[in-house]
Amino acid sequence: MNKTFKKSLVALVSGLMLTACGANSGSGNSSEQTKSSDNQSNKPVEITFWHAMNGPHQEALTELTKEFNESQNKYHVTEQNQGSYADLTKKVMAAGVSKDLPTMSQATQSNIPDWTKNQLLAPLDDILKGDDGFTQEELDDIYPGFMQSVEYKGKTMAMPFSKSVRVMFVNDDILKEYGVDVPKTWDDVKALGEKMKAKGDKRYAMGLEKTIDMELETMARQNGADWIKKDLSNVDFASDKALEPLKFIKDGIDAGWARTAGEDGYMSGPFGRGEVALYIGSSAGLAHITPTAKENNVNWSAQELPVYNKGEKMTLLAGNDLAVFKSASDEQKKGAVAFMHFLLKPENTAKWATKTGYVPVNRKGVAEKSYQDYLKETPQAEAATKENEYATSQAQFVGSGEYRDNWSKIQDKMLVENQDLKQTMEQFQTDTKKIIEDNNK
């Protein structure tokens, strides 16, 4: 581990060390304990798994973990909840300094570059296949965009697990009221908004989340802008193709037919109450919309995202993946892969999707009878599975957290305070280029 990383985390470690170590107490996960366990052939290899799942998601994960442990006797996975994703990240960083990392962990897309740079993660390419791992056929069955999202600098640094895409939730009652079809383009969305405003309708045609970074990037890339190229060779926030969709959103907000979630936090609430005709958000939001819409007698569906200027379909991936740490023993790494293989079996990725609202990560998971039965009962989930084929990821780079913090700071300045769009995005572009250049040499 490099000296800079150690130095930068001294303050963090002092506050988090007890928490990180406490999470491991009794787990048998320190290096000496693990090696001792590995060498005792009559005991299963202990795999410690840190995650940030809560509520029904944790219940589903606990159930699958129990099933894995009962399915074989070579490995035993102990799953340990670390709180929020932010808490999980802090504890991994602290454990990296104390050399008390778990075997494996959930990882968000922004974690992978940071943890890789600081030599915490084990590349998986050489250990994915084997007696307890994946066949090439199984790897090929995972949606291409999902596998691309876990590749960093030409290596597979994680495996996809809890994945979602952006979809368009539709209030079918409002569309029927106005006699319009499901929008296929963003211009169709605008046309609906103008119809509603002309009639004096106080409801909104389009609702977005509190932060619009994923929607804006989607629209800009649909429109032909690079945004941030995956090879980091270009940052494109201020070109006409990138600014056009930003102006589209700004004009909609100013005209009163579009809004962000604002103090509501997420748009699922206003949409479920019938206040919004179209809601652009995560497919995992389905579970939040369902009870609210039922309570308010709102008939709704979910559809694939509109396209920009009749361009190609595109949606961005979100969610988290599964990563293995370098500090794990060889046997632990094999066990971690065996656990991943179990979770990604078609019947299990289908079970996970039906219980959590995420999507199956492979085609056979979607084809599973249990998932097809789920789609019949919950047709709103089908749009996301269609989008799996063309879902793609955002660029991965060290410093992406700072980039997103900067984006959050400038959003309201443009959308609420009317700060000049082009000048603001030009400065944002310059700042982002510097972040990439300073951290990704």
Side-chain angles (χ1 to χ4, degrees), residues 111-180:
N111 291 147
I112 292 175
D114 292 330
W115 294 354
T116 300
K117 182 177 181 178
N118 290 296
Q119 302 178 27
L120 299 181
L121 292 186
L124 301 179
D125 301 271
D126 294 337
I127 58 176
L128 277 178
K129 298 180 183 179
D131 293 341
D132 298 322
F134 297 81
T135 65
Q136 188 60 52
E137 181 182 1
E138 288 172 327
L139 292 173
D140 291 342
D141 189 51
I142 298 172
Y143 290 102
F146 290 37
M147 285 303 295
Q148 291 167 8
S149 72
V150 295
E151 292 175 0
Y152 183 63
K153 293 191 173 181
K155 295 181 179 180
T156 304
M157 302 306 300
M159 286 299 285
F161 177 51
S162 303
K163 308 302 286 186
S164 61
V165 293
R166 313 303 277 187
V167 297
M168 179 173 67
F169 298 106
V170 177
N171 183 313
D172 297 325
D173 297 325
I174 295 179
L175 264 59
K176 183 178 180 180
E177 178 182 341
Y178 281 89
V180 299

Side-chain angles (χ1 to χ4, degrees), residues 5 70 72 75 121 125 148 171 174 189 206 210 216 221 241 246 295 318 339 364 374 387 433 435:
F5 177 60
E70 292 175 349
Q72 44 74 52
Y75 311 106
L121 292 186
D125 301 271
Q148 291 167 8
N171 183 313
I174 295 179
V189 175
M206 181 173 72
K210 186 174 182 179
L216 179 58
R221 289 172 64 175
K241 291 181 178 179
L246 177 57
E295 181 181 346
F339 183 46
K364 288 184 178 179
Y374 168 73
E387 290 185 344
K433 285 182 177 179
I435 291 171

Side-chain angles (χ1 to χ4, degrees), residues 219-249:
M219 295 168 70
R221 289 172 64 175
Q222 285 180 343
N223 201 30
D226 283 336
W227 203 252
I228 302 176
K229 291 195 74 170
K230 289 191 176 182
D231 64 3
L232 308 182
S233 62
N234 190 37
V235 178
D236 177 16
F237 299 161
S239 68
D240 290 344
K241 291 181 178 179
L243 288 173
E244 186 178 353
L246 177 57
K247 189 174 185 301
F248 169 88
I249 294 171

Side-chain angles (χ1 to χ4, degrees), residues 369-386:
K369 183 179 183 303
S370 62
Y371 195 72
Q372 289 299 309
D373 290 343
Y374 168 73
L375 291 181
K376 291 177 183 178
E377 297 172 0
T378 316
Q380 295 94 339
E382 187 172 5
T385 63
K386 291 179 179 178

